[in-house]
Amino acid sequence: MDGKQGPNVALTAGVTVADLARIVAALPAPATAAGLIDETRELEDLKSALAARQARHAVDFDLRRRREQALAGVPAEQLGAGVGAQIALARRESPAKGGRLLGLAKALVTEMPHTLAALETGQLNEWRATLLVRETACLTATDRAAVDEELAPDAGTFSGAGDRAVVAAARAAAYRRDPRSATQRAAHAAAERHVSLRPAPDTMCYLTALLPVAAGVAIHAVLTRAADALRSDGDTRPRGQLMADTLVERTTGKAGGVSGIEIQLVMTDRTLFQGDSEPARLPGYGIVPAGWARTLAGPDLEQNGNRNEAMRVWLRRLYTAPATGELVAMDSRARLFPPGLRRFVQTRDHTCRTPYCDAPIRHLDHIVPWHNGGTTSRNNGAGLCEACNHTKETPGWNAQTRPGSRHTLQLTTPTGHSYYSTAPPLPGTGVAPRPQLRSWLRHRPPSKQRVPPSRLSTRWRHSGTCRRG
């Protein structure tokens, strides 16, 4: 193969994409090593072609939904609301990524036909096409189309180039067309600065800050100088550790990094008191090892070989239902979720409850809206990110709870497609069964049912003394 062939797929009117998937799955594997490589490349080309088809479908779906919403009397500024979220659910992606996928599709179909053609023939994959769209986002539709045409002869050679080369080619072409917009884009980027937290292996995390380059370089220089000074005074920690510890100390105001901030750690009573190996869960991070959790909850926490300042520890008991493992708590008649119930829902849901969305919880939502008679209760409450909460309020969307071993939410989109979200298992609780298995589970013999233990939520604040609850 010369590396430029497109997928050789011809579907008849009676063959669906699902049929194609079954055909591909049933094909025998090539008999030779060379044949395996050839087919791997052909499958990659096919993936690109399918990505292009998804892009066309996304644009068509957006146009149809906008027409339907206009006929329903939706204001012009709200047309298209919820479209990206529906595309995301269909692609098993988060709603935030669904919006980006819709924007990519619109750019390819309406403004960059040459890039779309390269995607359809396998000369570009979806990520490379995304890079080209991203680097031309600051241009007008006319200039973007001109850059697309300018880069069209290079589309075939991009297969041998790295991502940086693709970005450099698109960026240079965009700058030649409109240097002013490129400069304005750099100025606008400063408004996008933010800080994010992502889990890393072995109870570590990535604390990332997107900053203007001057601010980022200045912070790095300060941390470097501080680390060099400590090394000169005899500190044996590596420079990288010293920079990280200095960042924590100067941000929190405490050498150990704890400064009156409440942290909730959910674990079973067996893990805390009996040395059990059942992992714990740290909100904002995820699953952590049992031994690490016990050490963190104890008064003799150590940092870098030095005993850390003592912390006051409270234990809050969270009981689970005997047969299901679902968290149990009180209801409230208040319009707003009271603090105790708010903490309960946040502990139960952990992240946004929209399927495929794992963004932090920003809003506590009434699943059945308050104005429709929904109660302020643990069963009618769900933690959502801000974007998903706004999407849920768009006309045509519906949410309701469903029976299940744990709190289960059914989200129905305007097209009638339903998606399910089950609250994540607490430590010591098994994975929840799928909705279609519930009828069988209801008839399980009582002797087969397992009674999970109560849960303990551990929280602490910095204090000069230490106690155990």
Side-chain angles (χ1 to χ4, degrees), residues 89-275:
L89 290 169
R91 294 189 59 167
R92 299 188 179 96
E93 298 283 4
S94 69
K97 187 170 182 180
R100 294 195 297 269
L101 291 171
L102 178 58
L104 170 67
K106 288 182 176 180
L108 290 174
V109 174
T110 62
E111 299 174 358
M112 304 183 73
H114 296 287
T115 301
L116 179 62
L119 181 63
E120 287 177 321
T121 57
Q123 297 179 66
L124 294 173
N125 59 24
E126 188 174 28
W127 173 242
R128 295 289 179 85
T130 301
L131 294 177
L132 294 175
V133 169
R134 186 187 70 187
E135 294 303 322
T136 57
C138 62
L139 302 178
T140 64
T142 302
D143 285 339
R144 188 181 233 175
V147 170
D148 178 61
E149 186 173 359
E150 178 183 338
L151 295 177
D154 297 327
T157 63
F158 280 156
S159 59
D163 289 349
R164 290 186 179 181
V166 175
V167 169
R171 189 172 293 172
Y175 186 79
R176 285 194 297 268
R177 287 285 170 181
D178 191 354
R180 180 180 177 183
S181 293
T183 303
Q184 290 175 342
R185 178 182 176 183
H188 174 73
E192 303 298 323
R193 58 190 183 276
H194 67 274
V195 177
S196 61
L197 183 73
R198 294 182 295 115
D202 304 323
T203 65
M204 302 294 283
C205 66
Y206 297 103
L207 178 66
T208 305
L210 179 64
L211 301 170
V213 64
V217 170
I219 291 173
H220 190 269
V222 169
L223 295 176
T224 301
R225 285 197 298 268
D228 290 341
L230 290 171
R231 294 273 292 179
S232 299
D233 292 339
D235 199 310
T236 59
R237 285 174 288 172
R239 180 174 283 99
Q241 287 187 15
L242 288 169
M243 294 174 67
D245 294 343
T246 301
L247 175 65
V248 172
E249 180 177 350
R250 296 192 179 185
T251 302
T252 64
K254 300 292 180 179
V258 180
S259 57
I261 302 299
E262 177 180 310
I263 304 175
Q264 298 192 30
L265 182 65
V266 183
M267 65 178 76
T268 65
D269 48 3
R270 299 191 310 273
T271 295
L272 183 60
F273 296 119
Q274 301 175 19

Side-chain angles (χ1 to χ4, degrees), residues 45-63:
D45 291 345
L46 179 58
K47 285 165 56 180
S48 296
L50 293 175
R53 186 174 178 86
Q54 282 184 320
R56 293 188 183 277
H57 284 1
V59 173
D60 190 16
F61 177 70
D62 179 61
L63 292 174

Side-chain angles (χ1 to χ4, degrees), residues 265-268 270 278-281 283 287 318-321 324-328 344-350 406 423-432 450 452-457:
L265 182 65
V266 183
M267 65 178 76
T268 65
R270 299 191 310 273
E278 177 67 33
R281 192 176 76 191
I287 300 300
L318 303 175
Y319 293 101
T320 55
T324 65
E326 183 173 11
L327 205 57
V328 179
F344 171 85
V345 174
Q346 290 173 333
T347 300
R348 181 196 68 193
D349 292 348
H350 189 47
R406 292 196 304 276
L426 290 171
T429 303
V431 177
R450 184 170 169 270
S454 64
R455 303 290 176 268
L456 292 172
S457 173

Side-chain angles (χ1 to χ4, degrees), residues 253-416:
K254 300 292 180 179
V258 180
S259 57
I261 302 299
E262 177 180 310
I263 304 175
Q264 298 192 30
L265 182 65
V266 183
M267 65 178 76
T268 65
D269 48 3
R270 299 191 310 273
T271 295
L272 183 60
F273 296 119
Q274 301 175 19
D276 193 78
S277 60
E278 177 67 33
R281 192 176 76 191
L282 182 63
Y285 179 84
I287 300 300
V288 295
W292 183 91
R294 279 193 296 272
T295 301
L296 194 62
D300 296 326
L301 180 67
E302 298 200 355
Q303 289 276 356
N304 304 315
N306 299 318
R307 185 163 179 169
N308 191 23
E309 297 183 32
M311 294 182 293
R312 180 170 295 170
V313 178
W314 286 271
L315 299 181
R316 179 188 294 123
R317 290 173 294 184
L318 303 175
Y319 293 101
T320 55
T324 65
E326 183 173 11
L327 205 57
V328 179
M330 64 179 181
D331 289 348
S332 170
R333 295 183 179 181
R335 166 65 178 87
L336 299 177
F337 288 87
L341 186 55
R342 175 179 292 271
R343 286 195 299 267
F344 171 85
V345 174
Q346 290 173 333
T347 300
R348 181 196 68 193
D349 292 348
H350 189 47
T351 60
C352 177
R353 284 293 300 279
T354 299
Y356 311 115
C357 183
D358 55 4
I361 294 174
R362 295 287 182 253
H363 293 173
L364 253 64
D365 176 64
H366 290 79
I367 298 174
V368 177
W370 172 266
H371 54 78
N372 288 342
T375 60
T376 303
S377 64
R378 64 178 181 84
N379 192 56
N380 194 48
L384 298 178
C385 69
E386 184 175 358
C388 289
N389 192 24
H390 292 323
T391 298
K392 173 182 170 289
E393 299 302 319
T394 304
W397 290 75
N398 177 265
Q400 54 188 313
T401 57
R402 288 300 184 195
S405 61
R406 292 196 304 276
H407 188 265
T408 302
L409 173 67
Q410 177 183 338
L411 185 65
T412 304
T413 66
T415 58

